[in-house]
Amino acid sequence: MQYEPESLSPAQAAALRRSLRGGRAALSRRTLLRASTGGALAAGGVAALSGCGIPPAAKPQGISSEDHSDREKRVVFSNWTEYMDVDESGKRRPTLDAFRERTGISVKYTEDINDNVEFFGKVKPQLAAGQDIGRDLINVTDWLAARLIRFGWVQKLDPANLPHAYANLSQQFRSPDWDPGRAYSYPWTGIPAVIAYNKKALDGLEVRSFGDLLDQPKLKGRVSLLSEMRDTMGLALLDLGKDPGKVTDDDFDAAIARVQKAVDRGQVRRFTGNDYTSDLSKGDIAACVAWAGDVVQLQADNPDIDFVIPDSGYMIATDNLLIPNKARHKRNAERLIDYYYEPGPAARLAAYINYVCPVDGVKAELAKIDRSAADNPLIIPDREMASKSHSFRSLSSKEETAYEEKFAKLTGA
């Protein structure tokens, strides 16, 4: 595929800064509640995408080099921080160790993905030039996965090396519009956006829908929404009976207008990244749009925290495993992907990171490790909850700019 040079519009740059300061891109996946938000990454992250990009002539030079998997029993895996199980000493990674012992393949595991934009800026010159980036496996969020696939910068997976992944991938993750049939990617985790609330702060008031957040007078000034456009506006679209996976410009404008009325009335306290967690726990925010991983961790410390899945549905994003072009150890990387789709390793990973596990058949194995995690639908969705998940459709660069501009105006960014 031809590389499509892209630069950020002012609205996209503002959205990126919001994400880096307090959104899902801001902090490590497991330490959201234990770290303070800040803009330290913003300058470098925005710079990575705010220039003119790669010249149009730069294209991938082929798909893969010779696969050295048989001769070189290793795989190089780049991941987010705190996104892999560790033992109590903090020095060993049990599932990776077990993979090496079983297969003889060593894993050079590096926690060098701090945010999607920064990582993209780091690797795009080599990928665009058709060069090896020194990694066999990477883990990036769905919008960036879609971009890498669109540019032709990642390799098509061989189903023969992925029998467990093919068989055990949960139905709700099987066919995103940016990678139908999962030809190039497999999800590492799902990241739901749901409605969370503090029972003590609600004082008997029932919150069941996104509309309740916007319209319930007793919640005025005690509601927060997420500064991630797809999560907040996706829930708004669902509440209007619209499908975020098929959103039109008119649908989006109607959802913006609906939320704008609530903002103008003072119903919404603020738009936040993960920094809503402290206010929710204290009760300063009574109800909000929240990420499920935060809710799981908050509930461990505060019995007043609970969540609801609206009848209209909820939003979910994914972080995804891909093999870059020119990777030296493609088959080894595919074996590692497949390993994490076996119920045992998948359960051990889910018990540690507390995000939605995309592997069917894992609940019984997880119950042996942590019964509460196995019974938590934010980690192992039941069939009803899985059926209510929705993803925002892929947007063109022009649509992305227009939607982010409207959302930036709504949030006051």
Side-chain angles (χ1 to χ4, degrees):
M1 295 184 187
Q2 173 84 25
Y3 173 67
E4 304 166 26
E6 295 183 16
S7 59
L8 295 185
S9 69
Q12 288 173 303
L16 173 58
R17 293 187 188 97
R18 291 197 306 272
S19 180
L20 290 169
R21 285 198 298 267
R24 284 192 288 112
L27 300 167
S28 69
R29 295 302 203 248
R30 190 174 170 83
T31 57
L32 290 176
L33 304 185
R34 297 193 294 273
S36 59
T37 57
L41 294 175
V46 173
L49 284 184
S50 59
C52 294
I54 304 297
K59 305 179 185 181
Q61 303 299 313
I63 296 300
S64 63
S65 58
E66 180 185 355
D67 193 348
H68 298 265
S69 291
D70 289 338
R71 294 187 300 276
E72 300 175 4
K73 306 292 282 186
R74 65 195 302 264
V75 61
V76 181
F77 182 9
S78 284
N79 204 352
W80 298 79
T81 57
E82 301 290 341
Y83 224 14
M84 179 66 73
D85 56 305
V86 298
D87 67 3
E88 291 184 1
S89 73
K91 298 178 180 179
R92 294 183 63 252
R93 303 186 184 281
T95 57
L96 288 179
D97 291 345
F99 175 77
R100 183 189 66 248
E101 292 167 6
R102 182 202 296 184
T103 65
I105 299 169
S106 64
V107 181
K108 182 182 179 182
Y109 183 77
T110 307
E111 295 178 327
D112 62 346
I113 302 180
N114 295 308
D115 67 82
N116 289 286
V117 174
E118 180 186 63
F119 183 72
F120 181 65
K122 186 189 303 183
V123 301
K124 72 175 181 178
Q126 299 102 298
L127 288 171
Q131 298 172 356
D132 179 11
I133 64 170
R135 299 166 177 87
D136 302 304
L137 192 63
I138 60 175
N139 186 12
V140 297
T141 305
D142 43 23
W143 68 265
L144 181 53
R147 177 176 290 187
L148 294 174
I149 292 169
R150 187 168 74 248
F151 291 169
W153 289 354
V154 293
Q155 298 188 52
K156 195 168 186 177
L157 301 173
D158 184 350
N161 297 325
L162 297 157
H164 297 97
Y166 183 81
N168 295 337
L169 176 61
S170 296
Q171 186 63 41
Q172 71 180 115
F173 299 114
R174 280 192 174 268
S175 197
D177 67 349
W178 47 269
D179 186 16
R182 291 288 181 180
Y184 294 89
S185 70
Y186 270 91
W188 183 250
T189 52
I191 308 168
V194 299
I195 293 175
Y197 57 88
N198 184 313
K199 288 181 280 190
K200 187 175 181 180
L202 286 182
D203 192 26
L205 185 67
E206 190 176 54
V207 173
R208 302 293 305 171
S209 69
F210 185 81
D212 289 338
L213 298 184
L214 301 185
D215 299 330
Q216 173 52 251
K218 293 182 179 179
L219 292 178
K220 184 175 181 179
R222 298 195 297 149
V223 167
S224 68
L225 306 178
L226 289 175
S227 57
E228 293 282 351
M229 182 269 287
R230 287 169 175 80
D231 291 330
T232 289
M233 297 315 300
L235 286 169
L237 286 161
L238 289 170
D239 196 64
L240 289 173
K242 304 295 184 180
D243 182 356
K246 300 177 182 178
V247 59
T248 66
D249 292 349
D250 288 344
D251 293 339
F252 190 80
D253 288 346
I256 285 283
R258 171 100 162 86
V259 179
Q260 185 69 62
K261 290 179 181 178
V263 170
D264 293 345
R265 293 197 311 270
Q267 183 80 2
V268 178
R269 184 187 186 97
R270 60 194 179 104
F271 290 82
T272 76
N274 66 282
D275 48 324
Y276 64 84
T277 54
S278 177
D279 284 345
L280 179 63
S281 189
K282 290 186 296 185
D284 293 340
I285 289 174
C288 63
V289 177
W291 288 305
D294 291 351
V295 176
V296 172
Q297 295 177 47
L298 280 172
Q299 287 178 319
D301 297 321
N302 187 340
D304 288 324
I305 303 302
D306 209 342
F307 73 96
V308 65
I309 302 298
D311 289 339
S312 59
Y314 66 99
M315 298 302 296
I316 194 164
T318 51
D319 285 335
N320 307 272
L321 300 171
L322 303 101
I323 299 175
N325 283 354
K326 298 290 184 177
R328 286 180 62 86
H329 311 105
K330 179 175 184 284
R331 191 181 308 109
N332 291 344
E334 288 169 337
R335 291 183 69 181
L336 185 59
I337 294 172
D338 195 61
Y339 168 74
Y340 279 105
Y341 273 80
E342 297 178 23
R348 289 189 287 276
L349 181 67
Y352 183 81
I353 64 176
N354 294 153
Y355 283 84
V356 168
C357 179
V359 182
D360 274 344
V362 78
K363 184 170 184 176
E365 289 295 323
L366 183 54
K368 298 175 185 177
I369 304 169
D370 185 339
R371 168 58 70 178
S372 64
D375 291 337
N376 192 329
L378 296 180
I379 299 174
I380 307 294
D382 56 26
R383 184 173 299 178
E384 181 183 4
M385 181 168 172
S387 70
K388 291 183 177 181
S389 70
H390 295 265
S391 298
F392 215 99
R393 72 168 173 84
S394 298
L395 299 175
S396 68
S397 181
K398 182 179 179 180
E399 289 174 324
E400 181 91 23
T401 297
Y403 287 18
E404 285 290 3
E405 284 178 349
K406 293 170 183 177
F407 189 66
K409 183 177 179 181
L410 171 69
T411 63

